[in-house]
């Protein structure tokens, strides 16, 4: 019988992180899961050696990408290689609480309408200390969040792949990750999902841990830092594509009106800000004259000369 869960691990030339990810998955209290390691054009031998040395080697399948395609193509290759009921992307440098899979699978079993379930997430900061990566800080990712909805995602991405277990059948309904994007493919996918289906959310103690290494470059870097410029570019591309699609069906009238309103509001705000700064400058000068004895005396003398 096929495992109910497939954990897709994307990796490239990071055997240390891959070993950590496999150990993290091994620590899960829920074990009915296969592990699909997608080696995205990295060296093959370190991956096979790392898998063989892990305690979950018998549950791992290694899939090699056949051509350069990047993060989205690697994710899609792994997803297409499994028939599991539930899937989750576990990038090689992220981690879970031991009950992540148990709690998320239980939620989806109890809530058949939910397309997937996300969990409270914590950012973990780490840096290289000799031969080891050491943690030096943590902070909540979107503190106090209790849901992830389509309307909230319109502004900015509020989730990361490590926190999201979902039904694999979603890809039959809304498609796979957009391989034309170098980044933000997860956000673009969440938008398509939440536009048609609700998501569950497990608030409270974080069950997912998104590791970040600010300042690190090369193979060990985070994509959000290494590809920061691409994030802004792809964010704009997603919004522009959605707007073009809307205009094709509804015409350009509403976007043109909204653009004009935005320009007018921006101009009004600039004028109001300039007026407020002018008033503040005048109030500051007046306060200085009134409180400083020298300035007060000079102002008195000026007034005296004007009265002659």
């Amino acid at each position: 019988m096929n495992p109910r869960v497939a954990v897709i691990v994307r990796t490239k030339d990071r055997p240390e992180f891959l070993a950590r990810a496999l150990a993290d998955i091994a620590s899960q209290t829920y074990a009915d899961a296969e592990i699909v390691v997608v080696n995205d054009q990295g060296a093959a031998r370190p991956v096979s050696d790392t898998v063989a040395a892990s305690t979950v080697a018998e549950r791992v399948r290694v899939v090699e990408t056949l051509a350069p395609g990047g993060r989205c193509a690697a994710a899609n290759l792994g997803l297409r290689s499994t028939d599991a009921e539930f899937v989750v992307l576990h990038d090689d440098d992220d981690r879970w609480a031991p009950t992540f899979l148990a709690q998320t699978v239980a939620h989806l079993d109890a809530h058949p309408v939910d397309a997937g379930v996300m969990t409270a997430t914590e950012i973990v900061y780490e840096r290289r200390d000799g031969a080891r990566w050491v943690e030096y800080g943590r902070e909540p990712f979107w503190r106090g969040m209790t849901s992830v909805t389509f309307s909230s995602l319109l502004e900015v991405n509020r989730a990361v792949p490590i926190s999201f277990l979902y039904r694999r059948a979603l890809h039959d309904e809304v498609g796979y990750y957009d391989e034309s994007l170098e980044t933000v493919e997860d956000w673009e996918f969440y938008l398509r999902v939440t536009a048609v289906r609700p998501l569950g959310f497990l608030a409270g103690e974080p069950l997912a841990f998104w590791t970040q290494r600010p300042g690190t470059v090369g193979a060990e870097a985070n994509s959000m830092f290494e590809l920061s410029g691409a994030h802004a570019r792809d964010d704009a591309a997603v919004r522009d594509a959605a707007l073009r699609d809307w205009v094709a069906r509804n015409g350009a009238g509403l976007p043109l009106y909204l653009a004009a309103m935005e320009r007018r509001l921006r101009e009004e705000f600039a004028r109001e800000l300039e007026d407020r700064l002018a008033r503040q400058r005048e109030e500051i000068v007046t306060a200085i004259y009134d409180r400083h004895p020298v300035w007060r005396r000079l102002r008195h003398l000026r007034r005296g000369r004007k009265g002659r």
Side-chain angles (χ1 to χ4, degrees), residues 131-210:
R132 301 181 307 124
W133 287 100
V134 296
E135 179 184 324
Y136 68 89
R138 293 190 177 207
E139 65 175 300
F141 180 57
W142 294 106
R143 184 191 300 274
M145 189 165 64
T146 58
S147 66
V148 176
T149 62
F150 178 70
S151 58
S152 66
L153 287 167
L154 289 175
E155 178 189 3
V156 66
N157 193 5
R158 298 173 187 271
V160 284
I162 190 65
S163 73
F164 186 35
L165 181 84
Y166 61 97
R167 304 181 195 278
R168 189 186 58 81
L170 265 181
H171 291 296
D172 299 326
E173 185 175 350
V174 302
Y176 284 80
Y177 292 99
D178 185 348
E179 295 184 17
S180 71
L181 298 170
E182 187 178 5
T183 63
V184 307
E185 75 284 352
D186 52 340
W187 172 60
E188 192 273 340
F189 177 64
Y190 305 153
L191 285 171
R192 279 186 277 138
V193 170
T194 53
V196 296
R197 299 279 297 277
L199 297 181
F201 191 85
L202 299 181
E205 289 298 312
L207 297 178
F209 303 96
W210 180 25

Side-chain angles (χ1 to χ4, degrees), residues 223-240:
S223 64
M224 69 167 295
F225 297 112
E226 187 86 335
L227 302 173
S228 58
H231 274 80
R233 179 201 65 208
D234 289 347
D235 181 285
V238 169
R239 296 178 190 278
D240 208 48

Side-chain angles (χ1 to χ4, degrees), residues 17-31:
F17 285 145
L18 177 58
R20 189 171 77 177
L22 295 176
D24 183 62
I25 299 167
S27 72
Q28 290 295 295
T29 59
Y30 183 94

Side-chain angles (χ1 to χ4, degrees), residues 245-259:
D245 181 65
W246 194 94
V247 168
R249 290 180 285 107
N250 300 281
L254 182 59
L256 285 170
Y257 174 77
L258 292 176

